[in-house]
Amino acid sequence: MIWSNEACFFFYCIVIVKNPLCARRINGTKETLPKRVKRGWMWNQFSVMEEYTGTDYQYIGRLQSDKDPDNGSVKYVLSGEGAGTIFVIDESKGFLHATLRLDREEKAFYKLKATVVNKQTGLQLEPETEFIIKLQDMNDNEPQFSQEVYTASIPERSDVGTPVIQVTATDADDSMYGIGAKLVYSISRGHPYFSVDPTTGVIRTALGPKDMDRETKEHYQVVIEAKDMAGQRGGLTGTTVVNISLTDVNDNPPVFTQSVYQLSVPESAMFGTVVGSVQATDRDIGRNAEMSFSITSGDSMGIFDISTDKNTQNGVITVKKPLDYEKKSSYTIEIQVRNSQKDHVFMLRDSKDMATVQIRVEDVDEPPLFSKAHYLMEVKEDAPISTAVGSVSATDPDQVRRVITYSIDRRTDMDHVFSIHPGNGSVFLLKHLDREQKAWHNFSVIAKEFRHPHQSSHTLVYVRLLDINDNAPTFATDYETFVCERTKVGQLIQTIRAVDADAPSAGHSFYFSLAPDEANTSNFTIRDNADNTAGILTRRSSYSRFQQSVHLVPVVITDGDYPIQSSTSTLTVRVCACDHKGNMELCNVEAMSDSPGIITGALVSVLLCLLILLIVVIFFTTLKRRRKQEPLIDSKEDVRDNVVSYNDEGGGEEDTQAFDIGALYHPAPALEESVKQRRDIIPYDTLLYPSNLWQAPMTSGPVVSAAVTSSNNEDVWEFINQKVLENDCNPTGPPYDSLATYAYEGCGSVVESLSSLGSALSETEQEYHYLHEWGPRFRKLADMYGAADNDFS
């Protein structure tokens, strides 16, 4: 195929002629290379002008095959991109045309394929060949910037040529074809402050630091142009806007708006009260405009203070110390202002500004002023009524000295202990004082102007009572002590201490001694330890709780202050049975009762028991009077609950001969039981005392025997009294103090019989030292059966 484009054909021929593959010589012999087969199609690319505006189809070129005899027997067939729509071919002649207006910026080239076929047979005469239709560029696109509007900033006072920002434009035309896409930048608006590099588009400052002043002009709008065709005439142009702002630097000092400020403040202004404010301006902004104020000189150093308001940057003057119009009515101070943020590059000197402030103090009607914030007074606790305790003083701080009156705030002295003279402020006593009840008295005094009572002030008065020795020392506590029946002479049984309500400045000094009338006759002695304590010592080696169960020891306690005070306190000593180590085991009931330290709860318990017992006796007496004379129940099935006691020396669980309460209702059987011989005592015929010894007291009383009582059907209470008296008068009774049971010992006791009846039959002497190990209940037996005195020493 032969291209009709002569230029293309010429390029093809050059390539063929210069092809080195046509022949070569190898080892001196000429080697014939394979001959090139002539193609049926001679292909190359076609060119077509973009943006064609003609009315006819745009001619591109002609395809011609060497297989075409040019007689109309062959047909050219076109395929590929845009075939049949954008591009058409003359089937008989091979002429190519473009039917539409093409844009290279949308698509730069098209790939198509062409072949030739026999019209009659439809067979391809040549293989399908690919070729390219390239759009030839023309300058139809103006330059476009990447942004329509650029924003940039640069510090003020920048040097000439300081880069600001770079702008960039592009051209859609073919940069490889001619100069249609070669751009040149220029500045159309923004002179003389800025310039632009024509090649790179970098914008720079064009003026010096003095001309680039933010305080003079802060914002600039620069217009930049980009022109293609290297800026030649006929080229297309694109523009953009660059908004440039100058950022602030600290190149301006603050300046006061006034050189002299006049302010006023009342003399009653408290600490921190605002007197007024001063204003300074700074052409800079932001942190560069922050100011710092200070007082440099004047006659009010330390009286006033100045600070910066963070919101307004004004200087605020406040009161630092109390003001007094009567002492000083005006002040003059010198203040200065400077930047908090310093920039030594732009401010070569320490820039500041000075101003004068005149402050006038205004007179205020002030309340009375006490000479002290509070008053401390002292008075002896025995001071008589109307004694002067002290005085307070207040004055009118104003120039016009007004009369002051004094009074006591009765809300702080509700008992009316003190009074005050309304004219001179002297404080007097209205009542007697007692330091031991209240050592301090506090109250408030009011001072008022006589003609202006609403002008008043308060002060506190503290009155301390001075102690005098008006209280005698006493025991520190209620001591309860005991002494063993067997002890040693000089044995320490109690250490006592004393207390005194007084409070001498040198401390307490107590002295202990026995009462003079007891010094030689007392069974105890006292030893002063010289440390405000004393020890109670025994004077005997043995005491008897049966002869005297309680000893009262009068102790005289004297203090060492003036006037000397003394008191006598009584120490109660109980006599108790102790073991061989001196530990208390048993004390008499009456000793405990006589002791002043008996617990109130125990006394109440005893009274309650007696009350219950009395109720029981009255109940049974009432029942007995209502019963008939004959026995209430004769049946053997009479079953009653017996009270069985196991705290005696009986047979424990096997002892069934306990006291039967039914015997009180059947005197006759009870009499028969009384005939039975008791096995826990010595028979009456062998007693050392007559059996009727217990009847001696009955001569003067109404008590009769049990038999008579039963036969005469007397009151049960007399029967009980008879049994109790019988037990008390019997020296061979059980060795303990408790409620006796009228029964037999029984058999099977663990400790066996303790009776001494059989001792006469034994020829050997028995040992009873083991009785000391049986506890306090058998202490009497231990004493009766040969316990040696040295065992208790």
Side-chain angles (χ1 to χ4, degrees), residues 368-372 375 377 390-396 402-410 419-428 443-450 455-459 461:
L369 180 64
F370 281 97
S371 60
K372 296 181 182 179
Y375 292 84
M377 302 178 184
S391 64
V392 299
S393 176
T395 58
D396 186 0
R402 296 185 175 90
V403 178
I404 306 300
T405 60
Y406 304 91
S407 62
I408 293 179
D409 187 352
R410 288 305 172 187
S419 67
I420 189 170
H421 192 282
N424 58 23
S426 299
V427 179
F428 299 92
F443 56 90
S444 177
V445 174
I446 305 173
K448 298 181 180 180
E449 294 183 5
F450 181 72
Q455 293 292 345
S456 63
S457 58
H458 295 69
T459 188
V461 178

Side-chain angles (χ1 to χ4, degrees), residues 260-277:
V260 178
Y261 294 88
Q262 293 183 347
L263 305 174
S264 62
V265 60
E267 65 173 331
S268 60
M270 305 299 292
F271 173 82
T273 301
V274 177
V275 179
S277 62

Side-chain angles (χ1 to χ4, degrees), residues 522-543:
S522 177
N523 293 321
F524 301 91
T525 61
I526 188 168
R527 180 182 64 197
D528 195 325
N529 297 328
D531 59 354
N532 293 338
T533 64
I536 305 300
L537 309 177
T538 58
R539 185 176 280 180
R540 298 167 50 187
S541 61
S542 64
Y543 298 86

Side-chain angles (χ1 to χ4, degrees), residues 21 243 305 375 436 450 487 582 628 724 735:
L21 297 178
N243 293 323
D305 193 10
Y375 292 84
E436 285 70 38
F450 181 72
T487 182
K628 297 180 180 180
V724 172

Side-chain angles (χ1 to χ4, degrees), residues 176-205:
M176 302 299 294
Y177 179 78
I179 60 174
K182 187 176 183 180
L183 305 180
V184 174
Y185 298 96
S186 62
I187 183 169
S188 63
R189 186 169 61 180
H191 294 291
Y193 302 102
F194 301 96
S195 63
V196 63
D197 189 295
T199 303
T200 61
V202 176
I203 301 175
R204 301 177 185 272
T205 57

Side-chain angles (χ1 to χ4, degrees), residues 381 434-437 439 467-475 498-504 508 510 559 565:
E381 61 175 322
D434 187 358
R435 191 200 66 84
E436 285 70 38
Q437 293 183 358
D467 183 48
I468 63 171
N469 193 26
D470 57 347
N471 291 277
T474 59
F475 277 158
V499 294
D500 193 336
D502 296 321
H508 291 292
F510 300 129
D559 59 19
Q565 300 287 343

